[in-house]
Amino acid sequence: MSTVTFEAPRGMRDFYPEDMVWRNRIFDAWRAAAERAGFRNYDACVVESLELLQRKSGEEVSEQIYAFEDKSGRKLALRPEMTPTLARMVAARQTRLPFPIKWYTIAQCFRYERMTRGRKREHYQLNMDIIGSEEVLCEAEILGAAVAAMRAMGLGDEAWRIHVSSRALLGELLAKSGIPEAQHPAVFIALDKRGKISDEEIAALLRVEGLDDAAVAKTFELLSVTTLDEAAALAGADSPAIANLRDLFALAEQMGYGPLLTFDIAVIRGLSYYTGIVFEAFDVQRKFRAIFGGGRYDSLLALVGGQPTPAVGMGFGDVVVGEVLREALGETCPVTRHGYAIGYMAAEQRGAAVALAARLRAEGHAVDLALLPQKPKHFFSKAGASAAKFAVFLGPDDLAAGTAQAKDLETREITPLPL
Ligand code: HAM
């Protein structure tokens, strides 16, 4: 028999119990925030048809797809993101759904990426999307829920920022610079590579798209705009994109996360389907890649064959936020102690221990019952290292007295517990 490596395939993760503590901290915060904001849960199979996922070449994600053929020759793939699947599901029931709909899911996604810090070949993503409304309150609600999730995980507002821009704004500015609309999608994708490849390489990409030297220079000039007021001065008083952005900033203030938002014209997003406001969240030191990202994509439903329907959403990955959390909270995930650990000295006390465990479990407590008799020292040291709040160790004296001692592992306080 050949030897098998104990490692998971490159870029894939195993989750041991100590890893699951972190993962659950993230997933619990995601789920609670999405539910509290009124999003309904949905799910889909991780395998999707390749045709749906593969869009225009040049988009990074479509080059990273794990694709395969099934035994009947169907071209399939592991989804790299959830949005095309969501668009397909919504298009399939377009006449029956009560728009606008607010849906969320926690989806495992696969991308054959070059591995860097915060990038794996598999990750989980919280997706929250609102489909069927053009109101900028949708963007504000989605960002508000993401903020609530970050706070629930234990990350302070000082640690991170949401960078916001708008493809519609950039489109207006590019048009004013004389760059025709047909070239905008390619310009967005090229500009999104900023920081990943050199400006010379980006300029070369723009020239391939047909921009002359003057247009390339103008495009780079637009990226030096630093404030919304500056952008407004360029776009003109009647710019719908500016009005939209100002509305979002005002709503964020009203919702209590205004200080987290910052205008950043360099946020463009790598996926081609975005049409309006786009956003990405980063740690303030910019040590990590984007914590989450998303935006408005009003054309995707029509692109997959549905009726034209406005939509906005975000993807929030577990990998980057996991790293940010470890940095902020320490390597060991802080856990809230709960439930009981029960041990016993000899076989004679096993029955009483089992009965006590059954009773406490019936009352709704978590109980970790020892499988064998133990020395008290061993029991208490293991209980101390566990997540239990109380430790109960049964010896002959407890049975004789008809009362056990529950030791609070945080306060060391002892409470009697009738047997
Ligand atoms: P995305 O920016 O490609 O957007 O991914 C969203 C988030 O998923 C990223 O900010 C990051 O946290 C995480 N992520 C992506 N790729 C990886 C990776 N290889 N390893 C670890 N984490 C990763 C989308 O996927 C859009 N579909 C989001 C969306 C939903 N837009 C509208 N609705």
Side-chain angles (χ1 to χ4, degrees):
M1 215 167 72
S2 65
T3 47
V4 173
T5 167
F6 290 143
E7 301 286 313
R10 190 168 158 75
M12 311 288 171
R13 294 169 297 169
D14 295 319
F15 294 87
Y16 286 88
E18 60 272 27
D19 307 315
M20 284 308 286
V21 179
W22 280 110
R23 187 169 121 181
N24 288 334
R25 188 184 186 91
I26 296 168
F27 282 29
D28 290 351
W30 278 348
R31 214 169 272 125
E35 291 278 345
R36 215 165 291 158
F39 287 80
R40 294 191 69 197
N41 202 190
Y42 73 100
D43 202 2
C45 181
V46 74
V47 173
E48 187 52 270
S49 86
L50 182 61
E51 198 191 342
L52 179 78
L53 299 173
Q54 216 153 31
R55 289 183 300 268
K56 279 192 324 203
S57 63
E59 195 175 293
E60 215 177 10
V61 167
S62 71
E63 290 156 18
Q64 298 170 332
I65 294 177
Y66 278 89
F68 60 97
E69 250 180 47
D70 73 4
K71 291 186 179 177
S72 314
R74 286 185 197 88
K75 290 190 174 12
L76 300 172
L78 301 180
R79 64 177 173 228
E81 55 159 335
M82 196 64 179
T83 313
T85 300
L86 173 64
R88 173 177 66 69
M89 287 171 68
V90 170
R93 298 206 173 167
Q94 202 145 23
T95 52
R96 281 182 281 158
L97 288 170
F99 294 106
I101 53 167
K102 297 167 70 177
W103 285 6
Y104 84 95
T105 190
I106 297 174
Q108 194 175 20
C109 300
F110 296 82
R111 296 181 190 182
Y112 192 82
E113 290 231 33
R114 203 170 56 81
M115 299 251 293
T116 55
R117 194 171 186 194
R119 281 292 175 275
K120 307 266 178 212
R121 291 183 175 164
E122 145 283 316
H123 69 284
Y124 286 90
Q125 245 187 37
L126 165 71
N127 276 244
M128 291 188 281
D129 292 84
I130 303 182
I131 300 182
S133 169
E134 279 171 350
E135 294 301 316
V136 74
L137 185 50
C138 303
E139 278 88 334
E141 281 277 73
I142 286 171
L143 289 177
V147 169
M150 290 288 268
R151 288 177 181 162
M153 286 174 206
L155 272 176
D157 285 6
E158 70 293 339
W160 65 291
R161 286 289 169 274
I162 304 167
H163 296 241
V164 182
S165 185
S166 159
R167 280 201 181 172
L169 169 67
L170 204 55
E172 285 178 23
L173 297 178
L174 288 171
K176 285 211 164 179
S177 303
I179 298 161
E181 210 174 307
Q183 288 173 333
H184 294 183
V187 172
F188 295 149
I189 299 302
L191 292 184
D192 182 64
K193 297 199 192 311
R194 249 187 145 201
K196 294 177 208 153
I197 60 175
S198 71
D199 279 1
E200 288 74 46
E201 287 169 290
I202 291 172
L205 283 176
L206 293 174
R207 277 190 210 100
V208 170
E209 292 304 325
L211 273 68
D212 60 20
D213 286 350
V216 170
K218 273 187 180 157
T219 304
F220 278 111
E221 231 174 84
L222 291 179
L223 293 184
S224 64
V225 167
T226 53
T227 65
L228 192 51
D229 287 336
E230 230 181 291
L234 286 177
D238 54 349
S239 156
I242 291 286
N244 216 226
L245 280 165
R246 289 208 196 281
D247 205 8
L248 176 62
F249 277 82
L251 283 166
E253 281 299 331
Q254 287 159 356
M255 290 180 159
Y257 64 89
L260 277 166
L261 286 201
T262 168
F263 174 72
D264 181 355
I265 201 160
V267 171
I268 292 166
R269 308 275 301 136
L271 298 155
S272 58
Y273 48 66
Y274 293 108
T275 53
I277 284 178
V278 281
F279 50 82
E280 265 170 1
F282 292 98
D283 61 295
V284 282
Q285 288 154 17
R286 292 298 289 259
K287 272 169 78 173
F288 302 98
R289 292 179 64 168
I291 300 170
F292 62 74
R296 184 163 280 283
Y297 53 101
D298 287 347
S299 317
L300 186 63
L301 261 286
L303 217 69
V304 304
Q307 296 300 314
T309 311
V312 54
M314 63 162 271
F316 185 160
D318 65 330
V319 180
V320 179
V321 83
E323 298 224 13
V324 175
L325 277 175
R326 275 183 177 80
E327 187 144 296
L329 307 179
E331 275 306 309
T332 311
C333 186
V335 288
T336 325
R337 286 184 170 274
H338 71 285
Y340 291 78
I342 297 179
Y344 43 94
M345 198 174 287
E348 292 74 55
Q349 292 95 42
R350 193 182 73 168
V354 168
L356 179 61
R359 194 179 90 210
L360 290 169
R361 284 172 182 160
E363 286 170 12
H365 300 286
V367 178
D368 183 14
L369 174 65
L371 300 172
L372 284 171
Q374 269 169 306
K375 292 212 163 57
K377 209 178 112 196
H378 283 150
F379 167 73
F380 281 105
S381 102
K382 206 171 162 230
S386 79
K389 169 112 174 106
F390 299 102
V392 183
F393 188 76
L394 297 181
D397 296 350
D398 300 294
L399 263 67
T403 312
Q405 315 278 325
K407 181 177 181 183
D408 187 317
L409 291 165
E410 281 164 326
T411 64
R412 310 272 134 200
E413 224 173 280
I414 307 272
T415 339
L417 193 66
L419 289 173

